[in-house]
Amino acid sequence: DVYKRQIMKGSGNEIDRRASRADFNQSNENMFRPEFQIKQGESEKNDKLWEIMSTYLANDNKTIQKNIVNHVEYTLAKTRFNFDSFGCYQAAALSVRDRLIESWNDTNQSFTEKDSKRVYYFSLEFLLGRAFQNALLNLQIEDNYKSALMELGYKLEQMYEEEHDPALGNGGLGRLAACFLDSLATLEYPAWGYGIRYDYGIFQQKIKEGYQVEVPDYWLNFGNCWEIERVDVVYPVRLYGHVDRTYHDGKEKCHWVGGEVVYAQAYDHPIPGFNTFNTLNLRLWKSRPATEFEFESFNKGDYFGAIQQRQRAEYITSVLYPNDSTNEGKELRLKQQYFFTCASLQDILRRFKKQKRSWKDLPEKVAIQLNDTHPALAIVELLRILVDEEELEMEYAFSLIYKVFAYTNHTVLPEALEKWSVDLLGHLLPRHLELIYKINFHFMEKVNSKYPGDFHRMNIMSIVEEGTPKKIRMANLCIVGSHTVNGVAFLHSELLKQTIFKEFYEMFPKKFLNKTNGVTPRRWVLAANPGLSELYNQECGTVDWARDYKLLVNIQDKAENPAFQKRWSDIKFQNKKRLVEWIRQNVPGVEINPNALFDVMVKRIHEYKRQFMNALYLVYRYLEIKNATPEQRKHMVPRAVFVGGKAAPGYINAKRIIKFINCIGDVVNNDRDIGDLLKVVFLPNYNVSNAQIIIPAAELSQHISTAGTEASGTSNMKFAMNGCLIIGTLDGANVEILEEIGDDNMFIFGAKVQDIQSLRVHMSQTEPREYWGPDLDRVFRVIRDGMFGHREELGQLLDTVCHKNDHYLVCHDFYSYLDAQKKVDEAYKNQAQWQAMSIRSSARSGKFNSDRTIRAVSYTHLTLPTIYSVQISVVAVSLKKKIE
């Protein structure tokens, strides 16, 4: 029934291999696209199509330029007389997207032909960063485009700045998801990502008079060159309604009916692997109404009513993490979570059902990784489909689901574990609440069977949390419905087993695994740090280090070499000057000396991350400088401190911390007496593109969360890869970074996780002034006395640690933090020592490549194949020759 067409072999130079992009780009030969099986009867049509579309687009200057100008005229409808910088970016981006689509289509067709098991990564966030540079680097054609654009009169670097960051994520959760997609594509696994296409993201952060102000992020105002709108991929999503029951042969059948239906429309983003033809897909969903326009209402003069349904539907995908301090905000968040999981499952099952299969094959073809609890409703939705629509028995259906799902946990804070009220969930998703109760009933029977009469244990492990109001524990649902649960750092995984999921671990010890996070060196070194990348290319003789970061381990042998140190420090200095220029443009009125020590802390603003402790230290350091004699100041290390990150709109204390840091900057930066000895800058609207400027310039980065509160962290890995030294606690991935790069290359301080609880007890039983000590007392006093203004507001911030309520042990760890900071200053005075530490930090950070994490995750999904690459045929013949 099938046959495979043979391409021309007359040249005698045909090579079948896993082709690399670099080989293709360096060759003048034509790269023929892969062949696939064709249904009988379609030979003539497909032979003609194959003849027309037989080769990949070439990457020589002339072809690239022709592609660009074609898009200028035929896609953008511009002329050569109206060819501005943004138009050039759009046309160039579209020409790159053309190349991605070729590989993207062939990759997915290859997976279909092989009928491979696919991994589906469900995440509410994908913090992708700009696509243009990433695509050029992964396709290995950056130099080609630089040359082609230069001849057209444009600089490639200028084109990069025309692109707006996609507003599809917020912090580490979304950035991890983006790194994982890059690694899945690079390692050639059969995978897809699923998420939401937000209209405005979380928000764009403005700083006005020191305060965070949230404004919409209009990232789609000028379109998105990288997405493909799929008007033909649309699925219905039901909300509200009620459950009807019918009975046949004594069996109950449930029908969820009524309510409101919205539609999910797909938008696809090609994700290229590095130096491979493998290109994966990220499918994002936009909400659309079932009825766009109520003409009858409009004719009656009810103009708002005419579009009300459209507005209600479109709100679902408007904003990431809508403020949930109101009931309406909570409902919108729950809608978002169900909306994207429902649409994604329909898409996955459509693909699964293309082949005639038994449902028992579902776990052999589908693996779904849940990135935190946001997609947890996928477990219940799949159960509803299998039971209510496909009419499988409940127990059998759940046995299939259990083999499909795996769950990644991202927190050890009990208060951060997601819960939804029974009333809200029952109102929005009535059938799902029923199924959750059934899942819980059967699970409680198993718990009681293993631990008879242990009602305390049953209460802890129950998916349903008793109380007022009664709630559904989404983490417990994920554990019960998944075959594997993983933490994201060794310490985090151990804490899960010892604390918040202790009872689950005791019952299912083999279910709990560790998968330490990683980051992609393609984005965070190759793209972000061109100078360092070129040094690595020269030292390794290849760019393969961007796939296998451990190729750099021998660079540490040159850590003490003065000539190599000079090259290393020159690269860092150029990156520092680039950041200084960025600050001039984005934080007017502040001048930074590039010779100062660049001290950086950029991450989501939260009390457990302890930006507050950093701010208190800045006050302490300022006072020390002010009290120093001129002779003492000569021996002080000038320091420029940069803090960045967003606070959740409803998180008052986090916003106060931002204000406090800006208040410190206002005083310090305008104090001519201290000059460049200390500068404090809050970096606004921290995002991926800004991070690509900030991280390569950093010399010291702060990762100072209270031990046992940070799941992993990934920015610490990015900083380490870029030769930045870490000052931090033994929390999250810091523990493993310490093991890899050595304690003589980090500045570790603070309480250890096993001591946290006893220290909290001690804090609560100690007289406050005795607890926080004389140095902090002096700091607190000048703040309350108004040195930085806003006495009442900053006083309220101090009150969060001053009344036996220092939950995150800011005051306790402050003094060991001071000692660590003194060690930083001493080390920086010895630049040879500092550069050696920096070199070792980068060379030894290979473990934290996200490729390693993905290889580990692949073992979780049992039958996931090691590699599925697109097979490429290279034919060394001219296009002018006839294709037989």
Side-chain angles (χ1 to χ4, degrees):
D1 294 331
V2 295
Y3 73 93
K4 194 165 186 176
R5 289 174 285 102
Q6 299 297 315
I7 65 172
M8 175 181 174
K9 298 183 179 180
S11 69
N13 292 323
E14 182 179 337
I15 305 169
D16 289 320
R17 62 190 176 93
R18 285 189 172 91
S20 74
R21 284 279 181 181
D23 293 334
F24 172 40
N25 298 331
Q26 293 168 6
S27 172
N28 292 321
E29 300 171 351
N30 299 310
M31 179 70 75
F32 277 74
R33 297 174 67 177
E35 304 172 273
F36 300 103
Q37 293 180 336
I38 311 292
K39 290 182 180 179
Q40 193 171 8
E42 296 184 0
S43 172
E44 185 176 342
K45 179 181 72 173
N46 283 284
D47 280 345
K48 187 63 178 177
L49 287 173
W50 186 81
E51 181 179 342
I52 296 170
M53 306 170 67
S54 59
T55 61
Y56 287 108
L57 286 170
N59 292 316
D60 59 281
N61 275 20
K62 186 175 180 180
T63 303
I64 290 171
Q65 290 165 353
K66 183 65 174 174
N67 295 156
I68 292 172
V69 297
N70 279 349
H71 278 296
V72 168
E73 185 152 24
Y74 303 130
T75 307
L76 304 178
K78 292 178 179 287
T79 74
R80 61 185 181 275
F81 307 111
N82 184 26
F83 194 8
D84 61 9
S85 179
F86 183 68
C88 183
Y89 155 69
Q90 288 179 300
L94 289 166
S95 73
V96 176
R97 195 188 74 166
D98 291 343
R99 288 158 171 77
L100 293 179
I101 288 174
E102 290 178 332
S103 296
W104 178 60
N105 282 330
D106 290 344
T107 299
N108 283 295
Q109 186 60 38
S110 175
F111 296 157
T112 299
E113 185 177 272
K114 290 173 170 35
D115 194 22
S116 55
K117 181 176 183 178
R118 301 196 197 197
V119 174
Y120 298 101
Y121 196 80
F122 280 25
S123 180
L124 204 60
E125 295 184 44
F126 287 93
L127 195 56
L128 298 172
R130 292 171 176 168
F132 193 19
Q133 184 186 24
N134 183 71
L136 291 179
L137 288 170
N138 277 9
L139 298 182
Q140 295 281 276
I141 53 175
E142 187 180 40
D143 288 342
N144 307 53
Y145 266 76
K146 183 179 292 185
S147 173
L149 285 167
M150 185 67 73
E151 291 180 9
L152 292 176
Y154 294 92
K155 290 185 177 180
L156 180 60
E157 292 76 14
Q158 181 184 1
M159 298 299 97
Y160 291 155
E161 295 305 312
E162 295 289 350
E163 184 178 359
H164 197 300
D165 271 42
L168 299 171
N170 177 37
L173 186 84
R175 189 52 235 166
L176 180 72
C179 285
F180 279 3
L181 288 185
D182 178 271
S183 289
L184 284 163
T186 297
L187 297 175
E188 300 177 323
Y189 286 116
W192 278 51
Y194 280 107
I196 291 178
R197 180 184 183 267
Y198 300 102
D199 294 325
Y200 307 109
I202 186 164
F203 58 83
Q204 186 175 6
Q205 183 192 55
K206 302 284 188 180
I207 302 297
K208 295 185 178 179
E209 297 181 354
Y211 292 98
Q212 171 181 290
V213 177
E214 303 93 20
V215 299
D217 190 343
Y218 298 105
W219 74 286
L220 290 170
N221 266 14
F222 298 99
N224 178 10
C225 298
W226 302 98
E227 68 183 10
I228 298 101
E229 182 180 8
R230 293 297 199 184
V231 294
D232 58 325
V233 183
V234 180
Y235 297 104
V237 178
R238 187 180 304 279
L239 304 166
Y240 309 109
H242 62 277
V243 181
D244 283 346
R245 288 174 171 79
T246 59
Y247 296 87
H248 182 70
D249 294 335
K251 289 186 177 181
E252 180 186 75
K253 184 169 176 59
C254 295
H255 307 269
W256 181 24
V257 296
E260 173 184 323
V261 174
V262 298
Y263 284 93
Q265 180 184 343
Y267 286 76
D268 290 343
H269 288 248
I271 305 293
F274 175 72
N275 200 17
T276 171
F277 283 81
N278 206 60
T279 302
L280 299 183
N281 190 40
L282 170 60
R283 177 156 285 178
L284 304 176
W285 302 105
K286 176 179 174 60
S287 54
R288 303 186 70 90
T291 303
E292 287 276 349
F293 187 76
E294 290 285 353
F295 201 76
E296 185 177 349
S297 298
F298 185 83
N299 283 340
K300 291 178 180 178
D302 183 7
Y303 303 129
F304 176 75
I307 61 170
Q308 186 175 18
Q309 188 174 350
R310 187 181 76 187
Q311 288 184 324
R312 279 172 55 84
E314 291 178 349
Y315 286 154
I316 295 174
T317 56
S318 290
V319 176
L320 168 64
Y321 299 137
N323 190 337
D324 62 353
S325 59
T326 64
N327 290 332
E328 292 79 7
K330 289 183 175 69
E331 183 174 307
L332 184 54
R333 279 205 185 193
L334 187 58
K335 275 185 183 179
Q336 285 184 336
Q337 294 182 8
Y338 176 66
F339 169 81
F340 104 85
T341 55
C342 174
S344 302
L345 284 171
Q346 291 182 72
D347 200 44
I348 290 167
L349 294 180
R350 174 195 57 80
R351 196 171 297 115
F352 173 77
K353 292 165 78 171
K354 277 184 177 181
Q355 305 281 348
K356 291 184 178 180
R357 318 177 193 270
S358 166
W359 282 108
K360 70 179 177 60
D361 296 328
L362 184 66
E364 302 304 316
K365 297 300 175 185
V366 174
I368 299 176
Q369 188 76 35
L370 305 176
N371 191 25
D372 214 349
T373 56
H374 306 130
L377 285 168
I379 295 169
V380 192
E381 173 65 6
L382 184 53
L383 183 63
R384 185 194 68 79
I385 293 170
L386 295 182
V387 172
D388 293 356
E389 298 180 11
E390 302 297 336
E391 300 185 351
L392 273 61
E393 293 293 332
M394 174 79 72
E395 187 174 345
Y396 178 57
F398 193 78
S399 71
L400 297 177
I401 290 168
Y402 185 82
K403 296 174 185 177
V404 166
F405 286 99
Y407 161 52
T408 299
N409 172 275
H410 284 274
T411 185
V412 291
L413 302 177
E415 64 272 19
L417 293 175
E418 196 172 37
K419 301 173 187 177
W420 293 109
S421 77
V422 165
D423 290 342
L424 173 58
L425 209 153
H427 172 61
L428 187 66
L429 304 168
R431 178 57 176 154
H432 296 74
L433 181 60
E434 292 181 354
L435 290 170
I436 288 171
Y437 273 116
K438 288 188 177 184
I439 294 169
N440 195 52
F441 174 77
H442 290 297
F443 179 61
M444 287 293 97
E445 284 190 325
K446 291 181 180 179
V447 176
N448 191 48
S449 175
K450 187 171 179 65
Y451 305 99
D454 192 342
F455 299 112
H456 176 69
R457 180 183 294 270
M458 291 175 67
N459 182 53
I460 292 172
M461 299 178 73
S462 174
I463 297 171
V464 182
E465 180 180 84
E466 301 297 334
T468 305
K470 189 177 290 188
K471 295 182 179 181
I472 302 300
R473 298 163 168 155
M474 304 309 279
N476 288 21
L477 173 62
C478 287
I479 296 171
V480 172
S482 301
H483 60 78
T484 301
V485 177
N486 75 275
V488 290
F490 176 78
L491 177 61
H492 172 230
S493 298
E494 291 302 303
L495 287 172
L496 293 181
K497 294 187 287 187
Q498 296 167 14
T499 57
I500 57 175
F501 299 146
K502 178 175 180 288
E503 290 74 15
F504 284 100
Y505 174 66
E506 290 171 350
M507 187 168 178
F508 308 109
K510 293 182 179 179
K511 177 179 285 197
F512 287 80
L513 303 172
N514 175 56
K515 310 289 185 208
T516 298
N517 280 347
V519 300
T520 169
R522 274 80 65 178
R523 167 76 65 176
W524 294 109
V525 182
L526 190 63
N529 201 337
L532 187 59
S533 298
E534 182 56 32
L535 176 64
Y536 286 162
N537 291 344
Q538 293 170 7
E539 291 297 317
C540 296
T542 174
V543 75
D544 287 349
W545 59 266
R547 277 186 76 127
D548 184 3
Y549 209 73
K550 289 189 176 181
L551 289 175
L552 300 173
V553 69
N554 292 332
I555 286 179
Q556 65 182 311
D557 296 338
K558 297 187 176 183
E560 309 284 351
N561 183 305
F564 190 79
Q565 286 187 357
K566 178 67 165 57
R567 294 167 68 193
W568 188 270
S569 62
D570 285 349
I571 292 166
K572 179 66 72 173
F573 189 71
Q574 292 303 314
N575 291 332
K576 290 171 72 175
K577 290 201 296 185
R578 182 173 61 156
L579 177 57
V580 168
E581 183 56 35
W582 184 91
I583 290 170
R584 284 197 188 106
Q585 296 174 12
N586 292 277
V587 191
V590 182
E591 269 304 315
I592 301 297
N593 178 6
N595 292 301
L597 166 59
F598 278 23
D599 174 348
V600 176
M601 187 177 189
V602 283
K603 53 185 76 233
R604 180 167 53 92
I605 309 296
H606 198 290
E607 287 167 285
Y608 85 81
K609 294 179 183 286
R610 301 202 293 193
Q611 288 95 344
F612 184 35
M613 184 165 71
N614 187 2
L616 293 173
Y617 170 73
L618 294 176
V619 176
Y620 170 86
R621 190 177 183 94
Y622 177 60
L623 296 177
E624 288 292 291
I625 296 170
K626 292 294 287 182
N627 292 330
T629 65
E631 185 60 31
Q632 289 172 325
R633 290 186 184 185
K634 289 179 183 179
H635 301 285
M636 288 182 169
V637 174
R639 190 181 294 207
V641 180
F642 309 108
V643 182
K646 295 179 181 179
Y651 194 170
I652 302 303
N653 275 342
K655 288 187 165 184
R656 285 174 177 159
I657 291 170
I658 292 174
K659 175 61 177 174
F660 183 28
I661 293 167
N662 281 301
C663 287
I664 296 169
D666 288 343
V667 172
V668 170
N669 299 340
N670 292 293
D671 189 339
R672 295 183 179 180
D673 177 51
I674 68 168
D676 288 337
L677 285 177
L678 183 62
K679 297 291 183 182
V680 178
V681 181
F682 188 87
L683 305 173
N685 202 44
Y686 182 62
N687 58 23
V688 175
S689 295
N690 297 344
Q692 288 181 220
I693 296 172
I694 296 164
I695 290 173
E699 295 173 289
L700 179 74
S701 64
Q702 304 211 30
H703 308 275
I704 58 177
S705 54
T706 311
T709 60
E710 184 74 81
S712 170
T714 53
S715 65
N716 44 9
M717 303 169 186
K718 298 163 194 168
F719 281 105
M721 283 183 173
N722 281 275
C724 176
L725 303 188
I726 291 174
I727 180 171
T729 52
L730 287 174
D731 194 29
N734 280 357
V735 176
E736 289 162 86
I737 293 174
L738 181 71
E739 291 173 354
E740 294 296 312
I741 71 174
D743 58 4
D744 54 340
N745 297 304
M746 291 178 71
F747 303 96
I748 296 298
F749 72 94
K752 296 180 179 178
V753 66
Q754 61 266 30
D755 299 325
I756 295 298
Q757 200 53 45
S758 62
L759 288 170
R760 284 175 177 155
V761 172
H762 172 75
M763 173 267 299
S764 67
Q765 296 174 350
T766 304
E767 195 277 325
R769 288 185 185 278
E770 179 184 342
Y771 169 66
W772 68 59
D775 288 330
L776 268 180
D777 190 65
R778 180 167 59 117
V779 169
F780 291 164
R781 190 168 60 252
V782 298
I783 295 169
R784 292 191 187 276
D785 287 347
M787 177 177 283
F788 303 98
H790 303 274
R791 295 172 62 175
E792 181 178 353
E793 188 172 6
L794 298 185
Q796 290 172 334
L797 186 58
L798 294 181
D799 288 342
T800 63
V801 298
C802 287
H803 302 287
K804 298 186 177 182
N805 57 344
D806 184 14
H807 181 75
Y808 295 111
L809 301 179
V810 169
C811 300
H812 175 273
D813 280 358
F814 184 79
Y815 290 92
S816 60
Y817 182 49
L818 287 186
D819 291 339
Q821 291 283 14
K822 291 172 184 175
K823 292 176 182 176
V824 169
D825 285 335
E826 289 306 308
Y828 197 75
K829 290 175 183 177
N830 183 343
Q831 274 296 297
Q833 176 192 350
W834 186 274
Q835 298 305 329
M837 294 168 69
S838 172
I839 293 165
R840 294 189 190 104
S841 175
S842 181
R844 297 176 182 176
S845 58
K847 173 182 175 178
F848 305 104
N849 184 341
S850 51
D851 295 356
R852 185 262 317 150
T853 313
I854 289 301
R855 288 191 182 97
V857 170
S858 72
Y859 292 110
T860 299
H861 298 291
L862 302 178
T863 57
L864 182 65
T866 304
I867 219 160
Y868 268 95
S869 70
V870 179
Q871 298 297 317
I872 305 297
S873 297
V874 182
V875 182
V877 292
S878 168
L879 272 176
K880 294 181 180 179
K881 290 189 177 182
K882 182 179 178 181
I883 302 173
E884 295 179 350

